[in-house]
Amino acid sequence: MRVAVASDDFLNVTGHAGKAVRFLVYEAEANVPPREVGRLDLAADLTIHEFRCDGPHPLFGMRAVIAGSAGAGFVRRLAEHGVETAITAERDPATAVSHWAAGTLAPPGPHDHEGGCGCNCG
C-alpha cells in the first residue's frame, strides 16, 4: 500500500501537513522494510490548504499520509477520500512508515498545531 510522508527536505518528517508541498512516497506492508517509490513536489495550489477538491489530487491515491502535525480540516478532507492521517513525533520517514505499517507509530508530541494559522486546514 502507498503511504506519503510530509517532508520539507525529503529527509525528515515535517509538520503542518495542510501546507506541505513535499512528500516522500513509500510502498509499505507489515513486517517488510518500507521502500521509497517516489517523491511529490506539489505546486502551492495543490497543498490541501489551498486545494478546492475540484478534481484528482496525488494524496487521494494514498492509503495514509504521515506528518508531524495536521489540523482537523486536513484529516477530514483526506478521510473523505479514504486516506488515513497519522500524526507522529517520529522524525525519520522510513521508520515512521515501518511503525505505521506495524501499528506501532509513536504518538505526536504536545506541539501539534499550536500557534498554527487558525484556519482549521491542517
Side-chain angles (χ1 to χ4, degrees), residues 62-90:
M62 302 296 149
R63 171 63 184 90
V65 173
I66 298 172
S69 66
F74 181 90
V75 174
R76 178 184 43 77
R77 290 178 85 181
L78 266 64
E80 289 171 354
H81 295 275
V83 181
E84 174 187 342
T85 301
I87 307 305
T88 186
E90 177 59 56

Side-chain angles (χ1 to χ4, degrees), residues 9-113:
D9 58 7
F10 291 128
L11 297 172
N12 300 288
V13 177
T14 55
H16 205 79
K19 291 189 176 183
V21 294
R22 290 184 168 165
F23 294 85
L24 294 162
V25 179
Y26 288 88
E27 188 65 34
E29 55 186 284
N31 303 317
V32 177
R35 181 173 50 94
E36 183 181 331
V37 295
R39 294 179 176 196
L40 299 175
D41 201 350
L42 306 174
D45 63 341
L46 283 179
T47 65
I48 295 298
H49 179 74
E50 296 295 328
F51 187 67
R52 298 297 157 230
C53 292
D54 53 357
H57 191 282
L59 293 178
F60 295 164
M62 302 296 149
R63 171 63 184 90
V65 173
I66 298 172
S69 66
F74 181 90
V75 174
R76 178 184 43 77
R77 290 178 85 181
L78 266 64
E80 289 171 354
H81 295 275
V83 181
E84 174 187 342
T85 301
I87 307 305
T88 186
E90 177 59 56
R91 291 292 159 233
D92 179 70
T95 300
V97 173
S98 181
H99 285 291
W100 175 83
T104 60
L105 187 60
H111 67 281
D112 295 322
H113 213 71

